[in-house]
Amino acid sequence: MSGSKEVKHTPAQASLEALLVDLHNRGIRTNGVELSGRRGGAGPTDDKAFLLNGQAVMLPTLNEPAKYSPYSLEKNDSGYALKNEGMPSPVAAFLQEVKRPKFYDLQTEDGIPYNKIAVLHGADVLASTVIQSCIRWSPENRCKFCAIGHSLESGNTIARKQPKQLAEVVQAAEQLDGIKHITLTTGTPNEVDRGALYLTECVKEIRKVSELPIQVQCEPPEDDRFYQMLKKAGADTIGLHVESFDETVRKEMMPSKSSISLETYFQAFEKAVAVFGRNQVSTYVIIGLGEDMETTVAGCAKAAKLGVYPFVVPLRPLSGTMLADANPPTSEVMNEMYQRVSQILAQEKLSSAKSSAGCAKCGACSALPFFEKLASGAN
Ligand code: SF4
């Protein structure tokens, strides 16, 4: 992969969906506008949450591609006008910054700031990496796109969020900022329960103070009973993130995690759907790692047939990761992928809207929910 500056993009077509695809890939130059983006950690680090014509989107503002993006922001009275090469965008696109949540100003009795325990994602999701370390986080073994160890090193977070601390933050974020659902992810602490046990403890404690829908995310645990435990504790949905359906890419990009075979993932999908139900199991699929498109679409179709929502996202080349200088996928590739996957979702009657919680519900890191509306004829 070569440097971000060399990527050839053709201009975005004049549609909101195509514009969002381009924005996700190329990011926005903020021209000195003060935004509250963050660096390091899991999830959409280096991104900033906006409302694009009212819908939550995470857009890169801090990574390498964003430095050279043709898109920039111009502040006006009610939000930001989007400029492309300094000219007004041909698509009516109105961006509002998602405000810094009030719960960020609070801390636990022992002095831990709430935003080191959980953060706001998108517009209304509270997200936490409950165990901020991973058995795969050695230079040889780590997934090349992952930044989980970096925010721990930078002091932006704490290594392990205690279940009681999480419950305290959930309560505050619900009361002060009106969060609507919760995403709990984890680094992988071992190869047996893979974090499911600790997630269960966290969910149980949150359930004492909140009824908000919760998604848990982990590698497929060895024993199927962990799905039952998570569900019984109060988790509503689960994310089992395959990251790629292309075996060659998995081996190259995830030298250690690829030891979990695709077959194991598909078996896990079936077992998880049996417990959580159709549309309440999702899997992250990263596009731009060098994967074969047909293999990827076939993998998404196979997962969707089982009732799993394939949450397709473009590679975010995150600062500090082994792919920091990689190119995001082109907008042409993403447009085609979104079109094909949204048609599969329509056939299988799966949707972001029907998911109760988590990334598939939030959708801010992907343009898939926008394409779903097109595929279902809603637009
Ligand atoms: S899609 Fe997932 S990772 Fe992205 S902002 Fe929403 S909850 Fe966070």
Side-chain angles (χ1 to χ4, degrees):
M1 298 199 186
S2 55
S4 312
K5 285 166 282 188
E6 296 161 20
V7 190
K8 294 263 187 305
H9 292 272
T10 52
Q13 302 146 30
S15 77
L16 192 62
E17 299 75 34
L19 175 66
L20 176 58
V21 169
D22 222 34
L23 285 169
H24 268 146
N25 292 343
R26 304 170 85 180
I28 300 185
R29 279 179 294 118
T30 52
N31 290 341
V33 176
E34 283 281 318
L35 298 169
S36 50
R38 66 198 178 97
R39 274 198 188 277
T45 64
D46 294 351
D47 280 23
K48 171 80 194 95
F50 292 93
L51 296 176
L52 173 62
N53 294 6
Q55 187 154 338
V57 294
M58 298 296 287
L59 301 178
T61 58
L62 296 172
N63 67 1
E64 276 297 301
K67 288 184 196 164
Y68 309 103
S69 174
Y71 296 104
S72 60
L73 294 176
E74 189 178 274
K75 193 154 181 42
N76 57 28
D77 289 345
S78 44
Y80 298 98
L82 186 66
K83 294 285 176 79
N84 187 348
E85 305 284 10
M87 302 296 286
S89 162
V91 181
F94 178 62
L95 285 167
Q96 285 169 293
E97 187 185 1
V98 174
K99 293 267 174 291
R100 180 186 156 86
K102 298 189 186 80
F103 79 86
Y104 279 18
D105 295 328
L106 301 180
Q107 57 180 36
T108 61
E109 265 181 24
D110 48 345
I112 300 168
Y114 277 7
N115 61 357
K116 288 194 179 189
I117 296 166
V119 291
L120 184 74
H121 276 202
D124 55 14
V125 189
L126 187 76
S128 179
T129 305
V130 298
I131 301 173
Q132 193 83 35
S133 55
C134 182
I135 48 167
R136 310 194 192 284
W137 189 255
S138 68
E140 314 76 51
N141 287 334
R142 71 181 60 160
C143 301
K144 292 186 177 169
F145 44 79
C146 182
I148 194 169
H150 294 309
S151 64
L152 194 54
E153 289 156 16
S154 71
N156 287 339
T157 187
I158 55 174
R160 188 176 277 248
K161 285 73 174 181
Q162 298 304 320
K164 278 196 191 321
Q165 292 173 334
L166 280 166
E168 191 177 324
V169 178
V170 165
Q171 226 174 354
E174 190 173 355
Q175 283 168 10
L176 298 175
D177 299 292
I179 56 153
K180 297 283 190 304
H181 55 115
I182 298 162
T183 299
L184 301 179
T185 191
T186 183
T188 301
N190 61 61
E191 288 190 326
V192 182
D193 74 275
R194 299 179 193 263
L197 270 179
Y198 195 67
L199 285 165
T200 303
E201 293 312 307
C202 295
V203 174
K204 274 187 190 163
E205 208 58 37
I206 292 171
R207 276 288 164 259
K208 291 181 186 168
V209 299
S210 174
E211 292 178 355
L212 288 177
I214 302 173
Q215 175 170 70
V216 288
Q217 302 177 347
C218 59
E219 290 181 0
E222 291 268 291
D223 189 326
D224 310 349
R225 281 174 298 185
F226 288 117
Y227 299 118
Q228 296 284 359
M229 282 173 58
L230 284 161
K231 176 78 177 160
K232 197 160 164 250
D236 300 274
T237 75
I238 188 165
L240 301 168
H241 295 173
V242 70
E243 326 288 2
S244 177
F245 286 114
D246 185 320
E247 202 58 83
T248 314
V249 164
R250 296 181 81 235
K251 288 202 170 71
E252 193 196 330
M253 295 291 162
M254 305 183 280
S256 176
K257 188 177 163 180
S258 58
S259 60
I260 308 169
S261 70
L262 281 174
E263 196 188 337
T264 301
Y265 265 95
F266 282 111
Q267 285 166 359
F269 291 161
E270 264 187 276
K271 290 168 189 166
V273 171
V275 174
F276 289 89
R278 279 180 73 82
N279 217 142
Q280 308 310 330
V281 180
S282 57
T283 191
Y284 236 83
V285 185
I286 303 173
I287 307 301
L289 297 172
E291 66 289 327
D292 176 71
M293 179 169 292
E294 297 311 316
T295 307
T296 307
V297 172
C300 291
K302 189 170 168 186
K305 207 167 181 49
L306 295 172
V308 175
Y309 183 99
F311 187 59
V312 172
V313 296
L315 171 70
R316 303 281 206 283
L318 299 180
S319 316
T321 66
M322 297 167 98
L323 297 184
D325 294 324
N327 293 322
T330 64
S331 296
E332 288 80 359
V333 165
M334 286 313 299
N335 272 305
E336 183 176 346
M337 192 61 82
Y338 284 137
Q339 276 163 18
R340 295 179 69 178
V341 175
S342 60
Q343 280 160 13
I344 292 167
L345 291 172
Q347 278 160 20
E348 299 296 340
K349 301 195 171 20
L350 301 175
S351 70
S352 165
K354 281 194 266 179
S355 175
S356 302
C359 292
K361 176 78 176 171
C362 165
C365 288
S366 171
L368 194 53
F370 284 73
F371 280 79
E372 276 180 43
K373 288 182 194 153
L374 286 181
S376 68
N379 274 4

